[in-house]
Amino acid sequence: MMEKAAISGVLDEIAVLLELTGENPFKIRAYSAGARILETLTEDLDELIKTGKLADVPGMGEALVDKITTLRRDSVLPFHQKLKASIPPGLLEVIQIPGLGPKKVRALWTQLQVEDIARLKSVCESGEVAALKGFGEKTQNNILAGIKNRIAYAQRHRWADAAEIAEPILEGLKKLPQVKMAESAGSLRRARETVGDLDFLVGSTEPEPIMQWFVNYPGVKEITAQGETKSSVRFENGLQADLRVVPPEQFYFALHHFTGSKEHNVAMRQRALSRGLSMSEWGFKSVDEKTVAPGAKSEEEVFKALGLEWIPPELREGAGEIEESEAKRLPRLVQMQDIKGVFHNHTTASDGDHTLEQMAAAAEKMGWSYLGISDHSKSSFQARGLDEGRLAQQIEEINKLNQSGRFHVRVLSGSEVDILREGALDFSDDVLGKLDFVVGSVHNLFTLDKEAQTKRIIKAIENEHVDMIGHLTGRLLNRREPYEVDVAKIIDAAAANDTILELNANPWRLDLDWRWWRRAAEKGVLCAINPDAHDTEQLGFAAHGVRIARKGWLTKEQVLNTRTLPEVLKWLGRK
DNA sequence: GCCGTTTTCGGCCCGACTGTTTTCAGTCG
């Protein structure tokens, strides 16, 4: 049985392969769109297939339903196999080079027998590429640069890293005298977990000096494009940034357009057309040219013109947000100011950098009313995990601190207890029973097969002392893949046992992934946004967690840490 | 390949920029 993510990967690959065969671009788009739809589907895939409801999902026609059904059942698809066999596998890498699309790759393939990167490099170096019709000296050099930097260029950047680069640029833009308004857009604004490139948008009637400022920004390694309204630069680390300057009247159309996603934009434009309006980053145009097309002085007005409520950028993934907006059913997303405290944090007792007191003081400074401390348990000896004795001592310390009245913030005693091989926990029920809360986490045996890993975690979920499961899939963005685990089953088990799933807010983790939360919430699973802070500053990770929770359509009600201390204590004492 | 108060065929979102061209194709988002 093939995973949803893997099936969507096959559909994406089919789309690229079809590009290389020169297929109808709209057919290609149907496959890409199918992959995106599948990725964000909240319903159970097997259920959809069984009941035939998959065909009711917009964008899923007979052919896609057939292929997805086959892939789910057999894990292979003859159509895909055949297609793959007809194209040199190396071309899938070649087409990733910036500036090379299907047409150019086909030309290289048919005329210069380019079947992989190595051959491409050699025909560039020999000058044969420049001699091809439609190619030239510059294209050849760009390809060579693309080959040289292809790993850096392909890399997506963790949101927090991208934001760190984007912030001072945006501030700088806002300070320029010619700039009326400026925002960052793209996947950064949509709060994706990783960001491919930065998009800056400026409203101004004088683009020229703004462009100059931008392409001369410190750290810019090369200028990849520079026109009247758009410039692109690349930084040392491979991150690309685009700047677009538009007249202030068009700013909100452009902001909407470059916030995307592609699927969201396509749907918006189709909606506009059905209302007699052609929509672009420059605004609306009346199709019949008889009526006057509306302008917009805010993003709200862009949506309003199409009969929609404003859709938060986090939701603009083309996953049904437009339908919900039309029906006025958009969720009221959780906000940072709703957060009243956090769970799952570490101190110097295990692998944290700051003491209990320092952490409490920092939590108080955040304006929170409670702070959960959950140091590691004894099996995590690499993290100086606490044994029963040291844990008892820590509980005592926490009690004393709470009684001392030194802080308004209430410290909750907890443990991030290791889930052992068969799902048993690192502490006995007696020990766990003395704590205010318990986070159960997997820290070893990442290579267990899916069934065993799932069973192991569900066993922990069923333990009455376990309040929440930490970083469910163990992924580290750009560094370590999630381990094999049946998330759908875990969600059902968490719902059945009234166990919380953590949204680990560490920017490397952001685990559980945003794509699962809508479904988890629908099933009644409660979320806890946990910074997993190992020092005082990392308590601020909570903001990353809130961002991902919003992306996962979560409301205040679906997140435990929006509740008051008495409500939280009541919930933790529920069983 | 998908879709349908332009409906079962014939459309399908829209525009900027580059490089290679003499007016535009290809790529990108």
Side-chain angles (χ1 to χ4, degrees):
Chain A
M1 195 178 76
M2 199 173 218
E3 281 308 313
K4 216 167 67 171
I7 297 173
S8 117
V10 171
L11 296 182
D12 272 326
E13 192 172 294
I14 289 172
V16 180
L17 291 166
L18 288 176
E19 278 195 309
L20 289 166
T21 63
E23 210 11 299
N24 170 4
F26 296 104
K27 187 193 255 194
I28 295 162
R29 198 173 77 188
Y31 278 99
S32 303
R36 297 290 79 71
I37 293 162
L38 198 57
E39 239 173 29
T40 45
L41 217 53
T42 49
E43 294 91 340
D44 186 81
L45 182 58
D46 292 320
E47 193 64 26
L48 286 174
I49 290 174
K50 207 170 66 189
T51 57
K53 292 239 173 72
L54 188 55
D56 297 343
V57 177
M60 290 285 175
E62 202 180 334
L64 277 173
V65 169
D66 253 16
K67 291 185 169 85
I68 292 168
T69 304
T70 306
L71 279 166
R72 182 72 174 175
R73 190 189 54 225
D74 306 339
S75 300
V76 290
L77 178 69
F79 171 75
H80 176 229
Q81 305 290 104
K82 246 187 243 166
L83 194 58
K84 234 166 109 170
S86 69
I87 309 265
L91 289 187
L92 290 172
E93 278 177 320
V94 170
I95 202 171
Q96 300 301 331
I97 307 259
L100 290 186
K103 299 272 169 55
K104 284 209 158 71
V105 171
R106 274 182 71 78
L108 291 163
W109 177 26
T110 54
Q111 294 171 56
L112 293 178
Q113 296 77 49
V114 168
E115 300 200 339
D116 53 30
I117 299 270
R119 169 75 182 161
L120 177 63
K121 187 158 182 260
S122 98
V123 291
C124 280
E125 283 165 349
S126 67
E128 290 166 84
V129 170
L132 282 187
K133 188 172 187 292
F135 292 72
E137 204 68 41
K138 282 192 178 169
T139 305
Q140 184 170 273
N141 288 336
N142 286 343
I143 294 173
L144 280 172
I147 292 174
K148 195 169 148 226
N149 297 307
R150 73 184 211 280
I151 291 164
Y153 289 179
Q155 175 90 0
R156 290 185 66 85
H157 303 260
R158 289 178 304 127
W159 188 95
D161 294 341
E164 204 178 305
I165 298 176
E167 244 164 63
I169 298 176
L170 185 59
E171 288 314 304
L173 283 170
K174 283 181 174 168
K175 282 189 192 127
L176 295 178
Q178 300 85 359
V179 171
K180 291 265 188 298
M181 55 268 259
E183 286 297 338
S184 60
S187 48
L188 188 77
R189 185 164 182 242
R190 292 206 315 283
R192 294 286 294 223
E193 66 276 33
T194 59
V195 171
D197 57 20
L198 303 179
D199 292 283
F200 296 101
L201 215 64
V202 164
S204 171
T205 48
E206 286 181 81
E208 173 58 24
I210 303 169
M211 290 294 181
Q212 282 309 321
W213 179 88
F214 182 68
V215 299
N216 289 305
Y217 188 81
V220 165
K221 195 176 114 195
E222 63 170 321
I223 302 166
T224 50
Q226 191 176 1
E228 274 173 54
T229 64
K230 182 197 156 179
S231 293
S232 294
V233 299
R234 208 180 270 284
F235 296 105
E236 291 295 339
N237 66 353
L239 183 66
Q240 181 172 307
D242 298 342
L243 170 68
R244 288 166 179 94
V245 181
V246 301
E249 311 84 80
Q250 265 112 44
F251 180 78
Y252 293 102
F253 288 102
L255 178 62
H256 172 265
H257 175 84
F258 290 108
T259 298
S261 68
K262 202 166 145 193
E263 289 75 18
H264 171 88
N265 286 352
V266 168
M268 285 286 281
R269 286 175 172 194
Q270 279 165 349
R271 185 177 175 89
L273 277 180
S274 74
R275 299 173 162 238
L277 294 170
S278 163
M279 184 184 186
S280 80
E281 62 262 49
W282 299 106
F284 291 121
K285 270 189 288 191
S286 162
V287 172
D288 61 14
E289 298 190 354
K290 279 179 219 149
T291 46
V292 180
K297 290 197 173 61
S298 65
E299 244 189 2
E300 280 82 357
E301 292 186 10
V302 175
F303 286 103
K304 204 175 154 198
L306 299 180
L308 298 171
E309 293 186 322
W310 180 77
I311 300 174
E314 296 93 328
L315 304 189
R316 301 183 200 166
E317 295 290 345
E321 69 277 9
I322 293 175
E323 291 83 342
E324 296 302 296
S325 167
E326 179 173 39
K328 303 201 185 317
R329 276 198 309 252
L330 282 174
R332 290 187 56 179
L333 301 178
V334 60
Q335 294 179 297
M336 188 58 191
Q337 54 261 42
D338 296 328
I339 299 296
K340 297 192 167 65
V342 292
F343 313 92
H344 189 173
N345 300 289
H346 299 264
T347 71
T348 46
S350 65
D351 59 350
D353 291 339
H354 290 115
T355 63
L356 192 57
E357 286 80 5
Q358 288 172 317
M359 293 297 282
E364 188 143 304
K365 219 173 150 191
M366 297 286 290
W368 291 334
S369 55
Y370 48 90
L371 169 73
I373 295 296
S374 56
D375 275 307
H376 288 282
S377 64
K378 58 185 192 274
S379 288
S380 278
F381 45 81
Q382 79 288 353
R384 303 205 320 120
L386 281 60
D387 61 16
E388 286 80 355
R390 291 178 62 215
L391 182 63
Q393 207 180 329
Q394 189 184 50
I395 294 174
E396 189 55 35
E397 274 173 49
I398 289 174
N399 285 339
K400 271 190 194 152
L401 188 67
N402 284 331
Q403 283 157 16
S404 74
R406 280 175 60 200
F407 301 108
H408 295 297
V409 70
R410 163 80 175 266
V411 181
L412 303 173
S413 62
S415 170
E416 183 181 13
V417 63
D418 266 53
I419 300 174
L420 307 178
R421 177 183 287 271
E422 305 281 344
L425 300 173
D426 205 12
F427 288 131
S428 69
D429 286 356
D430 281 353
V431 173
L432 295 176
K434 296 196 173 86
L435 294 162
D436 291 324
F437 74 101
V438 173
V439 184
S441 296
V442 163
H443 287 120
N444 63 1
L445 299 168
F446 295 156
T447 53
L448 284 186
D449 69 44
K450 188 170 174 179
E451 203 189 333
Q453 195 72 275
T454 304
K455 211 171 140 196
R456 174 192 190 192
I457 296 172
I458 288 180
K459 179 100 185 287
I461 286 174
E462 287 167 351
N463 182 303
E464 59 168 342
H465 294 292
V466 173
D467 297 295
M468 47 187 90
I469 297 296
H471 45 69
L472 181 62
T473 73
R475 75 167 177 195
L476 297 175
L477 292 165
N478 284 352
R479 201 199 277 173
R480 184 173 76 202
E481 289 300 305
Y483 41 72
E484 294 277 316
V485 62
D486 190 334
V487 178
K489 258 192 192 159
I490 301 259
I491 286 173
D492 289 342
N497 289 279
D498 208 10
T499 302
I500 284 177
L501 293 182
E502 163 182 287
L503 198 176
N504 190 295
N506 180 311
W508 280 100
R509 295 186 181 273
L510 305 177
D511 182 10
L512 187 62
D513 187 279
W514 59 270
R515 294 164 185 81
W516 285 105
W517 282 108
R518 208 171 150 192
R519 172 194 177 112
E522 277 165 12
K523 296 257 181 176
V525 174
L526 195 57
C527 168
I529 295 173
N530 288 340
D532 195 359
H534 286 68
D535 61 43
T536 52
E537 201 174 310
Q538 291 182 356
L539 287 173
F541 285 172
H544 297 311
V546 169
R547 223 181 33 253
I548 293 298
R550 291 172 61 84
K551 192 151 191 68
W553 292 59
L554 294 185
T555 66
K556 183 179 167 181
E557 291 69 31
Q558 291 160 338
V559 178
L560 179 68
N561 13 5
T562 63
R563 302 189 186 176
T564 62
L565 177 63
E567 287 168 341
V568 163
L569 289 173
K570 189 177 164 207
W571 194 90
L572 290 173
R574 71 203 179 284
K575 295 187 206 177

